[in-house]
Amino acid sequence: MENFDVVVVGGGMIGAASAQGFAQQGLSVLMLESYQPKAFETSQAIDLRVSAISQASVNLLKQLDAWSAISAMRLCPYQQLQVWEDPQDKLIFDCAQLDLPELGFMVENRIIQLGLWQANEQAGVTRRIVQNTQLQTNTAEGVSLKIDETEVFAKLMVVADGANSNMRQQLGLGISAWDYRHDCFAINIKLDAPQQTATWQQFYPSGPRALLPLAEQHAALIWYDSKDTIRGLKQLSNAQLKHRIEAEFPALPGDFDILDSASFPLTRRHISQYVKHRAVVIGDAAHTINPLAGQGVNLGYRDVKCLLEQVEHGGLEELDKALRRFEVRRKPDNLSMQTSMDVFYLMFSNSLSPLQQLRKLAIKGMQHSGPIKNWTLKYALGDIG
């Protein structure tokens, strides 16, 4: 049997970050992943899976020695976030509010993973591509796994294998979950316009429509709508889809070509408990959120940061206390952000006249709220809470 201090199940953006942090603490770490990500080449098309990385997440990735590798590949800084229903009344968050060079970065998920994997290699993380991971025991002493044909024991198991986590199911941890009535349609385009530096979102009764600026004058259009509407959009040719975008989307800053598209279901999940004996569940395996504000991966990085801090504080000798402190700190914050996004989603995804007036007043009031507006921006960037 092989022995490690920590085994991380899942080598994506969250799992690889936690593995890196524990390796930096001098612990022996085994990271398990089911597939090898495709290496980066500048000629590759921009992926459809993109995340808005906040300043707090950037700071964490810098601490993990991964940001230099990520930034050497491909990313897009953004300086402004605009939200509106009526174009005459926009809520605008600007990096100048907090004297920052940018609010964050739009980065392809795969590039974040690749940057972390480079850092993992330098930090001595043992990485394995595996097909079958079976939980054998999970006790107060540690976790034993059968990984393909190998048996492994670890003092701590970090579960970060995504929203449809198989290990979460093996642990017998329940979740509360429901599907939103909308699906998300992501459309990658190449703009015939200067590089965009603002991400924006306009609300419609049928669902929001947004633009995410990407590198090299690219952008991602995000179209939330009923499942039937999204299903219909997926059947269109690029020429037909372009016509629908021009007719039904907020005005774009120039002409554009459609490069790729795909749809994603929207599901809210939250795990019943984050910790079971020596297993701790983080990131999308523990919670998924409405992507309206781009907070999903940033909540995952808040999990990582908190978990690393709690374990480092007491060491493996006080692991039980560290895991309890982690759950006490992270569960309320994740629930609060989920609830806030749900209220936001429900408030704006309808055409009721009283709510329309309330929304207009809320946007106008927030735009001129001064300290409240700054606090809201700081919280979204991860600087508070």
Side-chain angles (χ1 to χ4, degrees), residues 77-345:
Y78 64 95
Q79 284 81 39
Q80 222 178 60
L81 168 62
Q82 303 177 10
V83 179
W84 73 90
E85 182 174 26
D86 182 345
Q88 303 302 315
D89 292 301
K90 291 186 178 182
L91 174 58
I92 301 175
F93 296 101
D94 195 290
C95 60
Q97 285 177 234
L98 304 179
D99 295 321
L100 294 171
E102 62 274 319
L103 294 178
F105 296 84
M106 299 294 177
V107 193
E108 295 154 72
N109 293 1
R110 179 175 59 91
I111 285 178
I112 298 173
Q113 182 186 24
L114 288 171
L116 283 162
W117 278 32
Q118 288 184 36
N120 290 163
E121 290 176 5
Q122 296 173 3
V125 174
T126 300
R127 182 175 68 239
R128 292 182 188 161
I129 305 298
V130 299
Q131 300 305 315
N132 188 28
T133 302
Q134 292 296 320
L135 177 66
Q136 302 295 307
T137 62
N138 175 28
T139 69
E141 284 70 47
V143 174
S144 61
L145 301 169
K146 186 172 184 182
I147 303 167
D148 292 337
E149 300 304 319
T150 304
E151 292 187 352
V152 169
F153 176 83
K155 297 171 185 175
L156 171 65
M157 177 172 68
V158 179
V159 179
D161 53 344
N164 298 312
S165 171
N166 177 266
M167 186 53 66
R168 180 187 66 215
Q169 295 177 28
Q170 291 189 52
L171 286 165
L173 297 175
I175 58 171
S176 60
W178 64 80
D179 288 338
Y180 295 99
R181 62 185 179 88
H182 290 151
D183 276 358
C184 172
F185 193 39
I187 310 157
N188 276 10
I189 63 172
K190 177 68 182 290
L191 283 163
D192 180 18
Q195 177 66 44
Q196 299 298 291
T197 59
T199 179
W200 51 253
Q201 188 163 226
Q202 181 171 1
F203 291 95
Y204 295 78
S206 58
R209 289 159 208 180
L211 179 142
L212 311 180
L214 302 177
E216 301 164 3
Q217 295 176 270
H218 290 72
L221 304 182
I222 310 298
W223 192 330
Y224 300 89
D225 216 310
S226 70
K227 297 178 183 298
D228 287 342
T229 298
I230 297 300
R231 195 177 300 116
L233 292 173
K234 288 172 61 178
Q235 304 304 314
L236 300 178
S237 67
N238 280 355
Q240 292 170 323
L241 179 57
K242 182 176 181 178
H243 179 73
R244 288 285 298 273
I245 292 169
E246 290 172 334
E248 301 178 40
F249 224 79
L252 300 180
D255 196 13
F256 63 95
D257 294 317
I258 294 174
L259 305 179
D260 200 3
S261 63
S263 67
F264 310 101
L266 302 180
T267 303
R268 184 197 198 271
R269 295 182 179 88
H270 200 267
I271 198 167
S272 57
Q273 62 189 83
Y274 285 39
V275 175
K276 185 173 184 180
H277 301 309
R278 289 300 180 88
V280 57
V281 188
I282 64 174
D284 281 358
H287 46 80
T288 59
I289 188 172
N290 194 304
L292 277 174
Q295 287 298 310
V297 71
N298 295 307
L299 287 180
Y301 281 137
R302 291 192 198 187
D303 289 352
V304 171
K305 184 175 185 292
C306 181
L307 180 61
L308 293 174
E309 289 173 347
Q310 301 312 316
V311 173
E312 185 175 33
H313 176 73
L316 294 179
E317 295 77 17
E318 297 185 4
L319 191 54
D320 293 335
K321 292 181 181 178
L323 296 181
R324 286 198 295 272
R325 288 195 301 265
F326 166 79
E327 182 165 29
V328 166
R329 285 163 171 75
R330 291 304 309 140
K331 193 171 186 179
D333 184 50
N334 289 325
L335 278 169
S336 175
M337 186 65 80
Q338 284 184 317
T339 302
S340 297
M341 289 302 99
D342 287 344
V343 170
F344 205 59
Y345 169 83

